[in-house]
């Protein structure tokens, strides 16, 4: 048939230009070139991820907050609120908590800095009256060294330090606002994003993946709610104790205890150290009382409060939680410590429901 002859001539060639060579897919040059392009692409992706690491951390924080706050949105929707209004209520509550923390922490820092500046002349006068200090000033030519340092270069470096401090402050404000905006967007489109993620899975496995994914999201939300509950309880208890013993700035110290208590394993100890140092700076008996109080409270929290609130919902092994917190701190700092336990809970669920049954069937 003519059609077959034309098809055969196209498939095999007419033979005018010689025999066809080896297919390009078997060429060593093409394989090497394709491999080099793959390596270059992988390196480009690595550079992109490294350069965008700060933004990716903010996205991870926003996702974590959105997953943790979504149960509150779901609860408000069950009470009859529309989805948009429920997201607005949760977002406003989050903003109020952030503002309350800033109001609690900023005034004490400003006040103590102002007090130090006001007392600085008296400190200098006391040093000048000290004979030993005067001898050291004369012996090591301190005044001449100070005058030598007070030049244009030193002033320029100091100004750069001030500008660097301002950049740090505004950068922190920008990051907080970015996380807040991303969290609100993720909350508003949480159901769509979740359905989109499940739609990327093949249909034959979509139901099982959706069930496991919903369970992981539930555990992350339960951990978020439990961690916030424990932190609020620790802050409230510390506030009452600070009022009883007469610590300065009790509300600010309570906020510090609540925030540090969010860090797994080591956060409660950090908050206790900060408050105890303030207590010892106030008076020795108050410092001793702070140390005793936090030792007793941590025992109650570790063996009574934490098991009832967290272990039933998250079910993470103590050794795994400690290792995860340490690895999280090493990889992502405080953010890694915060998300370590939910990640371990998710990995344990996947290991128990997917990996181990598959290994048993082999």
């Amino acid at each position: 048939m003519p059609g077959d002859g034309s098809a055969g001539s196209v498939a095999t060639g007419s033979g005018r230009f010689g025999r066809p060579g080896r297919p390009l897919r078997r060429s060593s040059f093409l394989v090497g070139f394709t491999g080099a392009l793959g390596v270059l692409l992988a390196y480009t992706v690595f550079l992109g991820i490294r350069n965008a690491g700060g933004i990716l951390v903010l996205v991870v924080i926003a996702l974590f907050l959105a997953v943790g706050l979504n149960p509150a949105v779901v609860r408000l929707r069950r009470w009859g609120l529309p989805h948009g209004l429920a997201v607005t209520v949760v977002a406003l509550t989050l903003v109020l908590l952030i503002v309350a923390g800033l109001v609690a922490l900023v005034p004490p820092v400003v006040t103590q800095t102002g007090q130090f500046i006001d007392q600085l002349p008296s400190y200098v006068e006391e040093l000048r009256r000290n004979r030993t200090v005067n001898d050291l000033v004369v012996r090591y030519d301190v005044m001449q060294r100070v005058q030598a340092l007070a030049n244009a270069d030193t002033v320029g470096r100091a100004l750069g330090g001030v500008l660097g401090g301002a950049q740090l402050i505004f950068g922190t404000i920008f990051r907080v606002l970015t996380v807040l905006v991303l969290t609100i967007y993720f909350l508003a489109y949480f159901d769509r994003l979740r359905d989109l993620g499940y739609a990327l899975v093949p249909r034959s496995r979509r139901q099982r993946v959706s069930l496991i994914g919903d369970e992981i999201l539930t555990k992350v939300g339960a951990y978020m709610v439990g961690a916030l509950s424990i932190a609020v309880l620790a802050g409230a208890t510390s506030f009452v104790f600070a009022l009883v013993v007469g610590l300065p700035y009790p509300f600010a110290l309570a906020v510090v205890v609540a925030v540090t208590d969010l860090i797994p394993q080591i956060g409660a100890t950090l908050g206790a150290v900060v408050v105890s140092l303030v207590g010892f700076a106030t008076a020795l008996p108050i410092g001793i009382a702070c140390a005793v109080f936090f030792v007793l409270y941590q025992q109650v929290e570790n063996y009574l409060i934490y098991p009832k609130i967290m272990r039933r919902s998250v079910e993470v092994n103590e050794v795994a939680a400690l290792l995860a917190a340490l690895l999280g701190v090493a990889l992502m700092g405080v953010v890694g410590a915060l998300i370590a336990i939910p990640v371990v809970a998710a990995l344990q669920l996947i290991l128990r429901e997917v990996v181990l049954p598959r290994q048993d069937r082999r």
Side-chain angles (χ1 to χ4, degrees):
M1 297 178 62
D4 294 340
S6 61
S9 62
V10 172
T12 59
S14 61
R16 292 179 54 191
F17 304 102
R19 297 179 57 185
R22 298 175 59 185
L24 291 178
R25 61 182 179 181
R26 297 179 182 179
S27 173
S28 59
F29 171 78
L30 184 61
V31 172
F33 184 72
T34 305
L37 286 180
V39 173
L40 181 60
L41 178 61
Y43 183 69
T44 304
V45 172
F46 166 74
L47 291 180
I49 294 176
R50 188 185 65 177
N51 295 332
I55 301 298
L56 293 178
V57 170
L58 299 182
V59 173
V60 170
I61 296 174
L63 280 173
F64 180 71
L65 291 176
V67 172
L69 295 174
N70 186 66
V73 176
V74 174
R75 181 65 60 87
L76 292 177
R77 292 178 62 182
R78 290 177 181 174
W79 290 350
L81 272 70
H83 180 71
L85 184 58
V87 172
T88 303
V89 171
V90 173
L92 288 178
T93 304
L94 181 62
V95 171
L96 290 177
L97 290 176
I98 295 175
V99 172
L102 292 176
V103 170
L105 293 178
V106 172
V109 173
V110 175
T111 302
Q112 293 180 4
T113 304
Q115 292 175 355
F116 175 76
I117 294 175
D118 293 337
Q119 296 296 327
L120 186 59
S122 61
Y123 295 153
V124 175
E125 185 65 25
E126 291 180 0
L127 290 175
R128 290 181 60 185
R129 293 176 181 177
N130 192 309
R131 180 177 299 177
T132 303
V133 174
N134 287 329
D135 293 340
L136 292 175
V137 170
V138 174
R139 180 179 302 177
Y140 294 102
D141 298 330
V142 175
M143 295 303 298
Q144 295 181 1
R145 295 176 185 272
V146 171
Q147 292 177 357
L149 291 175
N151 51 27
D153 295 336
T154 305
V155 173
R157 288 195 296 268
L159 183 60
V162 172
L163 294 178
Q167 184 179 3
L168 176 62
I169 294 174
F170 286 107
T172 303
I173 295 175
F174 171 77
R175 293 185 185 93
V176 172
L177 292 178
T178 302
V179 170
L180 182 61
V181 172
L182 288 176
T183 302
I184 295 174
Y185 273 111
F186 289 150
L187 279 176
Y189 298 99
F190 187 85
D191 294 337
R192 295 182 183 179
L193 293 175
R194 182 186 58 189
D195 295 339
L196 177 61
Y198 293 156
L200 297 176
V201 180
R203 181 179 298 179
S204 60
R205 301 181 179 181
R206 189 172 300 166
Q207 181 180 5
R208 179 170 171 79
V209 171
S210 62
L211 292 175
I212 296 177
D214 289 342
E215 183 67 19
I216 291 175
L217 295 177
T218 301
K219 287 184 177 295
V220 174
Y223 170 78
M224 187 72 176
V225 174
L228 288 176
S229 302
I230 295 174
V232 170
L233 181 59
T237 307
S238 302
F239 177 72
V240 174
F241 171 77
L243 289 178
V244 171
V245 300
L247 281 173
Y249 310 110
F251 187 68
L253 294 177
V255 172
V256 170
V257 171
V259 172
T260 55
D261 201 69
L262 292 172
I263 304 175
Q265 306 298 326
I266 60 175
T269 303
L270 293 177
V273 169
V274 172
V275 178
S276 299
L277 289 176
V278 175
F280 280 111
T282 304
L284 181 60
I286 295 179
I288 296 175
C290 291
V292 173
F293 166 76
F294 280 106
V295 169
L296 295 177
Y297 180 79
Q298 287 185 16
Q299 301 304 314
V300 175
E301 180 181 292
N302 293 334
Y303 294 101
L304 293 178
I305 301 175
Y306 190 90
K308 291 184 178 180
I309 296 180
M310 297 294 294
R311 291 177 186 170
R312 293 181 181 179
S313 57
V314 183
E315 298 177 355
V316 176
N317 183 270
E318 292 290 340
V319 178
L322 179 59
L323 293 177
L326 294 176
L327 290 176
V329 170
L331 294 176
M332 301 179 63
V334 178
V335 178
L338 291 176
I339 67 176
I341 292 182
V343 170
V344 171
L347 292 178
Q348 284 186 351
L349 179 63
I350 295 174
L351 185 66
R352 185 176 66 248
E353 298 294 334
V354 179
V355 178
L356 294 181
R358 180 177 299 176
Q359 294 299 111
D360 291 338
R361 289 193 298 268
R362 290 183 176 180

